Each structure stands twice: as C-alpha cells, then as structure tokens.
Coordinates of all heavy atoms in Angstrom, one line a residue:
M1 N 10.4 -7.7 7.2 CA 11.2 -8.8 7.8 C 12.6 -8.7 7.2 O 12.8 -8.7 6.0 CB 10.6 -10.2 7.5 CG 11.4 -11.3 8.1 SD 10.6 -12.9 7.9 CE 10.9 -13.1 6.1
N2 N 13.6 -8.7 8.0 CA 15.0 -8.6 7.6 C 15.6 -10.0 7.5 O 15.2 -10.9 8.2 CB 15.8 -7.8 8.6 CG 15.4 -6.3 8.5 OD1 14.6 -5.9 7.7 ND2 15.9 -5.5 9.4
M3 N 16.6 -10.1 6.6 CA 17.2 -11.4 6.4 C 18.7 -11.1 6.6 O 19.3 -10.1 6.2 CB 17.0 -11.9 4.9 CG 15.6 -12.2 4.6 SD 15.1 -13.8 5.2 CE 16.3 -14.9 4.5
R4 N 19.4 -12.1 7.1 CA 20.8 -12.0 7.2 C 21.5 -12.6 6.0 O 21.3 -13.7 5.6 CB 21.3 -12.8 8.5 CG 21.1 -12.1 9.7 CD 22.3 -11.3 10.1 NE 22.0 -10.2 11.0 CZ 22.8 -9.2 11.2 NH1 23.9 -9.0 10.6 NH2 22.4 -8.2 12.1
H5 N 22.3 -11.7 5.4 CA 23.2 -12.2 4.3 C 24.3 -13.0 4.9 O 24.6 -12.9 6.1 CB 23.8 -10.9 3.7 CG 24.4 -11.1 2.4 ND1 25.7 -11.4 2.2 CD2 23.9 -11.0 1.1 CE1 26.0 -11.5 1.0 NE2 25.0 -11.3 0.3
R6 N 24.8 -13.9 4.1 CA 25.8 -14.8 4.7 C 27.1 -14.1 5.1 O 27.8 -14.6 5.9 CB 26.1 -16.0 3.8 CG 26.8 -15.7 2.5 CD 27.2 -17.0 1.7 NE 27.7 -16.7 0.4 CZ 27.0 -16.4 -0.7 NH1 25.7 -16.5 -0.6 NH2 27.6 -16.2 -1.8
R7 N 27.3 -13.0 4.5 CA 28.5 -12.2 4.9 C 28.1 -11.2 6.0 O 28.9 -10.3 6.3 CB 29.1 -11.4 3.7 CG 30.0 -12.3 2.9 CD 30.6 -11.6 1.7 NE 29.6 -11.0 0.9 CZ 29.8 -10.3 -0.2 NH1 31.1 -10.1 -0.6 NH2 28.9 -9.9 -1.0
G8 N 26.9 -11.3 6.5 CA 26.6 -10.5 7.7 C 25.9 -9.2 7.3 O 25.8 -8.3 8.1
I9 N 25.6 -9.0 6.0 CA 24.9 -7.8 5.6 C 23.4 -8.0 5.8 O 22.8 -8.9 5.4 CB 25.2 -7.5 4.1 CG1 26.7 -7.2 3.9 CG2 24.4 -6.3 3.6 CD1 27.2 -7.1 2.5
N10 N 22.8 -7.0 6.4 CA 21.4 -7.0 6.7 C 20.7 -6.6 5.5 O 20.8 -5.5 5.0 CB 21.2 -6.0 7.9 CG 20.0 -6.5 8.7 OD1 19.7 -7.7 8.8 ND2 19.3 -5.5 9.3
L11 N 19.8 -7.5 5.0 CA 19.0 -7.1 3.8 C 17.6 -6.7 4.2 O 17.0 -7.3 5.1 CB 18.8 -8.4 2.9 CG 20.1 -8.9 2.3 CD1 19.8 -10.1 1.5 CD2 20.8 -7.8 1.4
A12 N 17.2 -5.6 3.6 CA 15.9 -5.1 3.9 C 15.2 -4.5 2.7 O 15.9 -4.2 1.7 CB 16.0 -4.0 5.0
P13 N 13.9 -4.4 2.7 CA 13.2 -3.7 1.6 C 13.7 -2.3 1.5 O 14.1 -1.7 2.5 CB 11.7 -3.7 2.1 CG 11.6 -4.7 3.1 CD 13.0 -4.8 3.8
P14 N 13.8 -1.8 0.2 CA 14.4 -0.5 0.0 C 13.8 0.7 0.8 O 14.5 1.6 1.2 CB 14.0 -0.2 -1.5 CG 13.9 -1.6 -2.1 CD 13.3 -2.4 -1.0
G15 N 12.5 0.6 1.2 CA 11.9 1.6 2.0 C 12.6 1.7 3.3 O 12.6 2.8 3.9
D16 N 13.1 0.6 3.8 CA 13.7 0.6 5.2 C 15.0 1.5 5.2 O 15.4 2.0 6.2 CB 14.1 -0.8 5.6 CG 12.9 -1.6 6.0 OD1 11.8 -1.2 5.7 OD2 13.1 -2.6 6.7
Y17 N 15.6 1.7 4.0 CA 16.7 2.5 3.8 C 16.4 3.9 3.2 O 17.3 4.6 2.8 CB 17.8 1.8 3.0 CG 18.5 0.7 3.7 CD1 18.3 -0.6 3.2 CD2 19.2 0.8 4.8 CE1 18.9 -1.7 3.8 CE2 19.8 -0.2 5.5 CZ 19.6 -1.5 4.9 OH 20.2 -2.6 5.6
A18 N 15.1 4.1 3.1 CA 14.6 5.4 2.5 C 15.2 5.5 1.0 O 15.5 6.6 0.5 CB 15.0 6.6 3.3
V19 N 15.3 4.3 0.4 CA 15.7 4.3 -1.0 C 14.4 4.2 -1.9 O 13.6 3.3 -1.7 CB 16.6 3.1 -1.3 CG1 16.8 3.0 -2.8 CG2 17.9 3.3 -0.6
D20 N 14.2 5.2 -2.8 CA 13.1 5.3 -3.7 C 13.5 4.7 -5.0 O 14.2 5.3 -5.8 CB 12.6 6.7 -3.8 CG 11.4 6.8 -4.7 OD1 10.9 5.8 -5.3 OD2 10.8 7.9 -4.8
L21 N 13.0 3.4 -5.3 CA 13.4 2.7 -6.5 C 12.9 3.5 -7.7 O 13.5 3.3 -8.8 CB 12.8 1.3 -6.5 CG 13.3 0.4 -5.4 CD1 12.8 -1.0 -5.6 CD2 14.9 0.4 -5.3
A22 N 11.9 4.2 -7.6 CA 11.4 5.0 -8.8 C 12.3 6.1 -9.2 O 12.2 6.7 -10.3 CB 9.9 5.4 -8.6
R23 N 13.1 6.5 -8.2 CA 14.0 7.7 -8.5 C 15.4 7.3 -8.6 O 16.2 7.9 -9.4 CB 13.8 8.7 -7.4 CG 12.5 9.5 -7.4 CD 12.5 10.6 -6.4 NE 13.7 11.4 -6.5 CZ 14.2 12.2 -5.5 NH1 13.5 12.3 -4.4 NH2 15.3 12.9 -5.7
E24 N 15.9 6.3 -7.8 CA 17.3 6.0 -7.8 C 17.7 5.2 -9.0 O 16.9 4.3 -9.5 CB 17.7 5.2 -6.5 CG 17.5 5.9 -5.2 CD 18.6 6.9 -5.0 OE1 19.6 7.0 -5.7 OE2 18.5 7.6 -3.9
T25 N 18.9 5.4 -9.5 CA 19.4 4.6 -10.6 C 20.7 3.9 -10.1 O 21.2 4.2 -9.0 CB 19.8 5.5 -11.8 OG1 20.9 6.3 -11.4 CG2 18.6 6.3 -12.2
L26 N 21.3 3.1 -10.9 CA 22.5 2.5 -10.6 C 23.6 3.5 -10.4 O 24.5 3.4 -9.6 CB 23.0 1.5 -11.6 CG 22.2 0.2 -11.7 CD1 22.5 -0.6 -12.9 CD2 22.4 -0.7 -10.5
G27 N 23.4 4.6 -11.1 CA 24.4 5.7 -11.0 C 24.2 6.5 -9.7 O 25.2 7.1 -9.2
S28 N 23.0 6.7 -9.3 CA 22.7 7.6 -8.1 C 22.7 6.8 -6.8 O 22.9 7.5 -5.8 CB 21.4 8.3 -8.3 OG 20.3 7.4 -8.2
L29 N 22.5 5.6 -6.8 CA 22.5 4.8 -5.5 C 23.8 4.9 -4.8 O 24.8 4.6 -5.4 CB 22.1 3.4 -5.8 CG 21.8 2.5 -4.6 CD1 20.5 2.9 -3.9 CD2 21.8 1.0 -5.0
P30 N 23.8 5.4 -3.6 CA 25.1 5.5 -2.9 C 25.9 4.2 -2.9 O 25.3 3.1 -2.8 CB 24.7 5.9 -1.5 CG 23.4 6.6 -1.7 CD 22.7 5.9 -2.8
E31 N 27.2 4.3 -2.9 CA 28.0 3.1 -3.1 C 28.0 2.1 -1.9 O 28.3 1.0 -2.0 CB 29.5 3.5 -3.3 CG 29.7 4.2 -4.6 CD 31.2 4.4 -4.9 OE1 32.0 3.8 -4.3 OE2 31.5 5.1 -5.9
M32 N 27.5 2.6 -0.8 CA 27.5 1.7 0.4 C 26.3 0.7 0.3 O 26.3 -0.3 1.1 CB 27.3 2.5 1.7 CG 26.0 3.3 1.7 SD 25.9 4.3 3.2 CE 24.5 5.3 2.8
Y33 N 25.5 0.8 -0.7 CA 24.3 -0.1 -0.8 C 24.7 -1.2 -1.8 O 25.2 -1.0 -2.9 CB 23.1 0.6 -1.3 CG 22.5 1.6 -0.3 CD1 22.3 2.9 -0.6 CD2 22.2 1.2 1.0 CE1 21.8 3.8 0.3 CE2 21.7 2.0 2.0 CZ 21.5 3.3 1.6 OH 21.0 4.2 2.5
V34 N 24.3 -2.4 -1.4 CA 24.3 -3.5 -2.4 C 22.9 -4.0 -2.7 O 22.0 -3.8 -1.9 CB 25.1 -4.7 -1.7 CG1 26.6 -4.4 -1.5 CG2 24.5 -5.2 -0.4
L35 N 22.8 -4.5 -3.9 CA 21.5 -4.9 -4.4 C 21.4 -6.5 -4.4 O 22.3 -7.1 -4.8 CB 21.2 -4.4 -5.8 CG 21.0 -2.9 -5.9 CD1 21.0 -2.6 -7.4 CD2 19.7 -2.5 -5.3
V36 N 20.3 -7.0 -4.0 CA 20.0 -8.4 -4.1 C 18.6 -8.6 -4.7 O 17.7 -7.9 -4.4 CB 20.0 -9.0 -2.7 CG1 19.5 -10.5 -2.7 CG2 21.4 -9.0 -2.0
A37 N 18.6 -9.4 -5.7 CA 17.3 -9.7 -6.4 C 16.6 -10.8 -5.6 O 17.2 -11.9 -5.4 CB 17.5 -10.0 -7.8
A38 N 15.3 -10.6 -5.4 CA 14.5 -11.7 -4.7 C 13.4 -12.1 -5.6 O 12.6 -11.3 -6.1 CB 14.0 -11.1 -3.4
C39 N 13.3 -13.5 -5.7 CA 12.3 -14.1 -6.6 C 11.1 -14.5 -5.7 O 11.3 -15.2 -4.7 CB 12.9 -15.3 -7.3 SG 11.6 -16.2 -8.2
P40 N 9.9 -14.1 -6.1 CA 8.7 -14.4 -5.3 C 8.3 -15.9 -5.5 O 7.5 -16.4 -4.7 CB 7.7 -13.4 -5.7 CG 8.0 -13.2 -7.2 CD 9.5 -13.2 -7.2
A41 N 8.7 -16.5 -6.6 CA 8.3 -17.8 -7.0 C 9.0 -18.9 -6.2 O 8.4 -19.8 -5.6 CB 8.4 -18.0 -8.5
C42 N 10.4 -18.8 -6.2 CA 11.2 -19.8 -5.6 C 11.9 -19.3 -4.3 O 12.6 -20.1 -3.7 CB 12.1 -20.5 -6.6 SG 13.5 -19.4 -7.0
L43 N 11.7 -18.0 -4.1 CA 12.3 -17.4 -2.9 C 13.8 -17.3 -2.9 O 14.5 -17.0 -1.9 CB 11.9 -18.1 -1.6 CG 10.3 -18.2 -1.4 CD1 10.0 -18.9 -0.1 CD2 9.7 -16.8 -1.5
K44 N 14.4 -17.5 -4.1 CA 15.9 -17.4 -4.2 C 16.3 -15.9 -4.1 O 15.6 -15.0 -4.6 CB 16.4 -18.0 -5.5 CG 17.9 -17.9 -5.6 CD 18.4 -18.6 -6.9 CE 19.9 -18.4 -7.1 NZ 20.7 -19.0 -6.0
K45 N 17.4 -15.7 -3.4 CA 17.9 -14.3 -3.4 C 19.3 -14.3 -4.1 O 20.2 -15.1 -3.7 CB 18.1 -13.9 -1.9 CG 16.7 -13.7 -1.3 CD 16.8 -13.2 0.1 CE 15.4 -12.9 0.7 NZ 14.6 -14.2 0.8
S46 N 19.4 -13.5 -5.1 CA 20.6 -13.5 -5.9 C 21.3 -12.1 -5.7 O 20.7 -11.1 -6.1 CB 20.3 -13.7 -7.3 OG 19.5 -14.8 -7.5
P47 N 22.6 -12.1 -5.2 CA 23.3 -10.9 -5.2 C 23.5 -10.3 -6.6 O 23.8 -11.0 -7.5 CB 24.6 -11.3 -4.6 CG 24.4 -12.6 -3.9 CD 23.3 -13.3 -4.7
I48 N 23.4 -9.0 -6.7 CA 23.6 -8.3 -8.0 C 24.9 -7.6 -8.0 O 25.2 -6.9 -7.0 CB 22.5 -7.3 -8.2 CG1 21.1 -7.9 -8.2 CG2 22.7 -6.5 -9.5 CD1 20.6 -8.6 -9.4
D49 N 25.7 -7.8 -9.0 CA 26.9 -7.0 -9.2 C 26.4 -5.7 -9.9 O 26.2 -5.6 -11.1 CB 27.9 -7.7 -10.0 CG 29.2 -6.9 -10.2 OD1 29.2 -5.6 -10.0 OD2 30.2 -7.5 -10.4
R50 N 26.2 -4.6 -9.0 CA 25.6 -3.4 -9.6 C 26.5 -2.7 -10.6 O 26.1 -2.0 -11.5 CB 25.2 -2.4 -8.4 CG 26.4 -2.1 -7.5 CD 26.0 -1.1 -6.4 NE 25.7 0.2 -7.0 CZ 25.6 1.3 -6.3 NH1 25.6 1.2 -5.0 NH2 25.4 2.5 -6.9
W51 N 27.8 -2.9 -10.4 CA 28.8 -2.3 -11.4 C 28.7 -3.0 -12.7 O 28.7 -2.3 -13.8 CB 30.2 -2.3 -10.8 CG 30.2 -1.8 -9.3 CD1 30.4 -2.5 -8.2 CD2 29.8 -0.5 -8.9 NE1 30.2 -1.7 -7.1 CE2 29.9 -0.5 -7.5 CE3 29.5 0.7 -9.5 CZ2 29.6 0.6 -6.7 CZ3 29.2 1.8 -8.8 CH2 29.3 1.8 -7.4
E52 N 28.7 -4.3 -12.7 CA 28.6 -5.0 -13.9 C 27.3 -4.8 -14.6 O 27.2 -4.5 -15.8 CB 28.8 -6.5 -13.6 CG 28.8 -7.4 -14.9 CD 28.7 -8.9 -14.6 OE1 28.9 -9.3 -13.5 OE2 28.4 -9.6 -15.6
L53 N 26.2 -4.7 -13.8 CA 24.9 -4.5 -14.4 C 24.9 -3.1 -15.0 O 24.3 -2.9 -16.1 CB 23.8 -4.6 -13.3 CG 22.4 -4.5 -13.7 CD1 22.0 -5.6 -14.7 CD2 21.4 -4.5 -12.5
G54 N 25.5 -2.1 -14.3 CA 25.5 -0.8 -14.9 C 26.2 -0.7 -16.2 O 25.8 0.1 -17.1
R55 N 27.3 -1.5 -16.4 CA 28.0 -1.5 -17.6 C 27.1 -2.1 -18.7 O 27.1 -1.7 -19.9 CB 29.3 -2.3 -17.5 CG 30.4 -1.5 -16.8 CD 31.7 -2.2 -17.0 NE 31.8 -3.5 -16.3 CZ 32.1 -3.6 -15.0 NH1 32.4 -2.6 -14.3 NH2 32.2 -4.8 -14.4
K56 N 26.3 -3.1 -18.3 CA 25.4 -3.8 -19.3 C 24.2 -2.9 -19.7 O 23.9 -2.8 -20.9 CB 24.9 -5.1 -18.7 CG 25.9 -6.2 -18.8 CD 25.2 -7.5 -18.2 CE 26.2 -8.6 -18.1 NZ 25.7 -9.7 -17.3
V57 N 23.5 -2.3 -18.8 CA 22.3 -1.7 -19.1 C 22.3 -0.2 -19.0 O 21.4 0.5 -19.3 CB 21.1 -2.2 -18.1 CG1 21.0 -3.7 -18.2 CG2 21.4 -1.8 -16.7
G58 N 23.5 0.3 -18.5 CA 23.6 1.8 -18.3 C 23.2 2.1 -16.9 O 22.5 1.4 -16.2
K59 N 23.7 3.3 -16.5 CA 23.5 3.7 -15.1 C 22.3 4.7 -14.9 O 22.1 5.2 -13.9 CB 24.7 4.4 -14.6 CG 25.9 3.4 -14.5 CD 27.1 4.0 -13.9 CE 28.2 2.9 -13.8 NZ 29.5 3.5 -13.3
R60 N 21.5 4.9 -16.0 CA 20.5 5.9 -15.9 C 19.1 5.3 -15.8 O 18.1 6.0 -15.7 CB 20.5 6.8 -17.2 CG 21.8 7.6 -17.2 CD 21.8 8.5 -18.4 NE 22.8 9.6 -18.2 CZ 22.8 10.7 -18.8 NH1 21.8 11.0 -19.7 NH2 23.7 11.6 -18.6
T61 N 19.0 3.9 -15.8 CA 17.7 3.3 -15.7 C 17.4 3.3 -14.2 O 18.2 3.0 -13.4 CB 17.8 1.8 -16.2 OG1 18.4 1.9 -17.5 CG2 16.4 1.2 -16.3
T62 N 16.1 3.6 -13.9 CA 15.7 3.6 -12.5 C 15.7 2.1 -12.0 O 15.5 1.2 -12.8 CB 14.3 4.2 -12.3 OG1 13.4 3.4 -12.9 CG2 14.3 5.6 -12.8
L63 N 15.9 2.0 -10.7 CA 15.9 0.6 -10.1 C 14.5 0.0 -10.3 O 14.4 -1.2 -10.4 CB 16.3 0.7 -8.7 CG 17.8 1.2 -8.4 CD1 18.1 1.3 -7.0 CD2 18.8 0.4 -9.2
A64 N 13.5 0.8 -10.3 CA 12.1 0.3 -10.4 C 12.0 -0.4 -11.8 O 11.4 -1.5 -12.0 CB 11.1 1.3 -10.2
D65 N 12.6 0.3 -12.8 CA 12.5 -0.3 -14.2 C 13.4 -1.5 -14.3 O 13.0 -2.5 -15.0 CB 12.9 0.8 -15.2 CG 11.8 1.8 -15.5 OD1 10.6 1.4 -15.2 OD2 12.1 2.9 -16.0
L66 N 14.5 -1.5 -13.7 CA 15.4 -2.6 -13.7 C 14.7 -3.8 -13.1 O 14.9 -5.0 -13.5 CB 16.7 -2.3 -12.9 CG 17.8 -1.5 -13.7 CD1 18.9 -1.3 -12.8 CD2 18.2 -2.2 -15.0
A67 N 14.0 -3.6 -12.0 CA 13.4 -4.7 -11.3 C 12.4 -5.5 -12.2 O 12.3 -6.7 -12.1 CB 12.7 -4.2 -10.0
K68 N 11.8 -4.7 -13.1 CA 10.8 -5.3 -14.0 C 11.5 -6.2 -15.0 O 10.9 -7.1 -15.6 CB 10.1 -4.3 -14.8 CG 9.2 -3.4 -13.9 CD 8.6 -2.3 -14.8 CE 7.9 -1.2 -13.9 NZ 7.8 0.1 -14.6
K69 N 12.8 -6.0 -15.2 CA 13.6 -6.8 -16.2 C 14.3 -8.0 -15.6 O 14.9 -8.8 -16.3 CB 14.6 -5.9 -16.9 CG 13.9 -4.8 -17.7 CD 15.0 -3.9 -18.3 CE 14.3 -2.7 -19.0 NZ 15.3 -1.8 -19.6
L70 N 14.2 -8.1 -14.3 CA 15.0 -9.2 -13.7 C 14.4 -10.6 -14.0 O 13.2 -10.7 -14.2 CB 14.9 -9.0 -12.1 CG 15.6 -7.8 -11.5 CD1 15.3 -7.8 -10.0 CD2 17.1 -7.9 -11.8
K71 N 15.3 -11.5 -14.2 CA 14.9 -12.9 -14.4 C 15.6 -13.8 -13.3 O 16.8 -13.6 -13.1 CB 15.3 -13.4 -15.8 CG 14.7 -14.8 -16.1 CD 15.1 -15.2 -17.5 CE 16.3 -16.0 -17.5 NZ 16.6 -16.8 -18.7
C72 N 14.8 -14.6 -12.7 CA 15.4 -15.4 -11.6 C 16.4 -16.5 -12.3 O 16.1 -17.1 -13.2 CB 14.3 -16.2 -10.9 SG 15.0 -17.3 -9.6
L73 N 17.6 -16.5 -11.7 CA 18.6 -17.4 -12.2 C 18.2 -18.9 -11.8 O 18.7 -19.8 -12.4 CB 20.0 -17.1 -11.6 CG 20.5 -15.8 -12.0 CD1 21.8 -15.5 -11.2 CD2 20.8 -15.7 -13.5
S74 N 17.4 -19.1 -10.8 CA 17.1 -20.4 -10.4 C 15.9 -21.0 -11.1 O 15.9 -22.2 -11.5 CB 16.8 -20.3 -8.9 OG 16.6 -21.6 -8.4
C75 N 14.8 -20.2 -11.3 CA 13.6 -20.8 -11.8 C 13.1 -20.1 -13.1 O 12.0 -20.4 -13.6 CB 12.5 -20.9 -10.8 SG 11.8 -19.3 -10.4
D76 N 13.9 -19.1 -13.6 CA 13.5 -18.4 -14.8 C 12.3 -17.5 -14.6 O 11.8 -16.9 -15.6 CB 13.3 -19.3 -16.0 CG 14.7 -19.8 -16.5 OD1 15.7 -19.2 -16.1 OD2 14.6 -20.7 -17.3
N77 N 11.8 -17.3 -13.4 CA 10.6 -16.5 -13.2 C 11.0 -15.0 -13.6 O 12.0 -14.5 -13.2 CB 10.1 -16.5 -11.8 CG 9.1 -15.4 -11.5 OD1 8.1 -15.3 -12.1 ND2 9.4 -14.6 -10.5
R78 N 10.1 -14.3 -14.3 CA 10.3 -12.9 -14.7 C 9.3 -12.0 -14.0 O 9.4 -10.8 -14.2 CB 10.2 -12.8 -16.2 CG 11.2 -13.5 -17.0 CD 10.9 -13.4 -18.5 NE 11.9 -14.0 -19.3 CZ 13.0 -13.4 -19.7 NH1 13.2 -12.2 -19.5 NH2 13.9 -14.1 -20.5
A79 N 8.4 -12.5 -13.3 CA 7.3 -11.7 -12.8 C 7.5 -11.3 -11.3 O 7.8 -12.2 -10.5 CB 5.9 -12.4 -12.9
N80 N 7.4 -10.0 -11.0 CA 7.4 -9.6 -9.6 C 8.7 -9.8 -8.9 O 8.7 -9.9 -7.6 CB 6.2 -10.1 -8.9 CG 4.9 -9.8 -9.5 OD1 4.7 -8.6 -9.9 ND2 4.0 -10.7 -9.7
N81 N 9.8 -10.0 -9.6 CA 11.1 -10.0 -8.9 C 11.3 -8.6 -8.3 O 10.9 -7.6 -8.8 CB 12.2 -10.4 -9.8 CG 12.1 -11.8 -10.3 OD1 12.2 -12.7 -9.5 ND2 12.0 -12.0 -11.6
R82 N 11.9 -8.6 -7.1 CA 12.1 -7.3 -6.5 C 13.5 -7.2 -5.9 O 14.2 -8.2 -5.8 CB 11.1 -7.1 -5.4 CG 11.2 -8.1 -4.3 CD 9.9 -8.1 -3.5 NE 10.1 -9.1 -2.4 CZ 10.5 -8.7 -1.2 NH1 10.7 -7.5 -0.9 NH2 10.6 -9.6 -0.2
F83 N 13.9 -6.0 -5.6 CA 15.2 -5.7 -5.0 C 15.1 -5.7 -3.5 O 14.2 -5.1 -3.0 CB 15.8 -4.4 -5.5 CG 16.3 -4.4 -6.9 CD1 15.9 -3.5 -7.9 CD2 17.3 -5.3 -7.2 CE1 16.4 -3.6 -9.2 CE2 17.9 -5.3 -8.5 CZ 17.4 -4.5 -9.5
L84 N 16.1 -6.3 -2.9 CA 16.3 -6.0 -1.5 C 17.6 -5.2 -1.4 O 18.4 -5.3 -2.4 CB 16.5 -7.3 -0.7 CG 15.2 -8.1 -0.6 CD1 15.5 -9.4 0.1 CD2 14.1 -7.4 0.1
I85 N 17.8 -4.5 -0.4 CA 19.0 -3.6 -0.3 C 19.8 -4.0 1.0 O 19.2 -4.2 2.0 CB 18.6 -2.1 -0.3 CG1 18.2 -1.8 -1.7 CG2 19.8 -1.3 0.1 CD1 17.9 -0.4 -2.0
G86 N 21.1 -4.0 0.8 CA 21.9 -4.2 2.0 C 22.9 -3.1 2.1 O 23.2 -2.4 1.1
K87 N 23.3 -2.8 3.3 CA 24.2 -1.7 3.5 C 25.6 -2.3 3.9 O 25.7 -3.0 4.9 CB 23.7 -0.8 4.6 CG 24.2 0.6 4.7 CD 23.5 1.3 5.7 CE 23.8 2.8 5.8 NZ 23.0 3.5 6.8
L88 N 26.6 -1.9 3.2 CA 28.0 -2.4 3.5 C 28.4 -1.8 4.8 O 28.2 -0.7 5.1 CB 29.0 -2.0 2.4 CG 28.7 -2.7 1.0 CD1 29.7 -2.0 0.0 CD2 29.0 -4.2 1.1
P89 N 29.0 -2.7 5.7 CA 29.6 -2.2 6.9 C 30.7 -1.2 6.7 O 31.5 -1.4 5.7 CB 30.1 -3.4 7.6 CG 30.3 -4.4 6.5 CD 29.4 -4.1 5.4
R90 N 30.7 -0.1 7.4 CA 31.8 0.8 7.2 C 32.9 0.5 8.3 O 32.7 0.7 9.5 CB 31.4 2.2 7.3 CG 30.5 2.5 8.5 CD 30.3 4.0 8.6 NE 29.0 4.4 8.1 CZ 28.5 5.7 8.2 NH1 29.3 6.6 8.7 NH2 27.3 6.0 7.8
D91 N 33.9 -0.2 7.9 CA 35.0 -0.5 8.9 C 36.3 -0.2 8.3 O 36.5 0.4 7.3 CB 34.8 -2.0 9.3 CG 34.8 -2.9 8.1 OD1 35.0 -2.4 6.9 OD2 34.5 -4.1 8.2
Ligands
ZN1 ZN1 13.0 -18.1 -8.8

C-alpha cells in the first residue's frame, strides 16, 4: 500500500523500488531516494534526514541495521520500526 507524502512524494516499501536494505547503506543509496521511518505501534511516519544521520552514524551501516536502531519520536517504540522509501521528483 502506498502513501502520499505531504509534499507529493510517493512512499513505498523498499522492495517496490528494488532497494535491498540488507545491502544498501546511507552511502550507497542513490540520492534520489528519501527515507521515512514508520512506527508499527503508533503508525507515525517520520522523515529521516539521511545526510544528518550519515554524519551521526556513518555511511557504511546497512539500512537494515539502521532500522533496528530506530526509535519512534512520537511514542518511543524501538521494536520493528521500518523504513519506507520515497523517490524525489526529477524536475
Ligand atoms: Zn510510535
């Protein structure tokens, strides 16, 4: 199921974009992709600043490992948070 970002970016599970979270890192993920963290507990979706995150945790951690470290800003849930991916419009 796709969700509409408020800026009109279509969010989808990584598989829809053929992005393999176990292989891609913040450094390898093409720049046209944006990351959004989705919390399964409260359903909040939080945009991630991938550049800022890269400076904090390094660019070599796989996205799958990063997902395990996510904490929901809304309810503090740490379990099973996942990434959704959006593709920036090329205009
Ligand atoms: Zn939450």
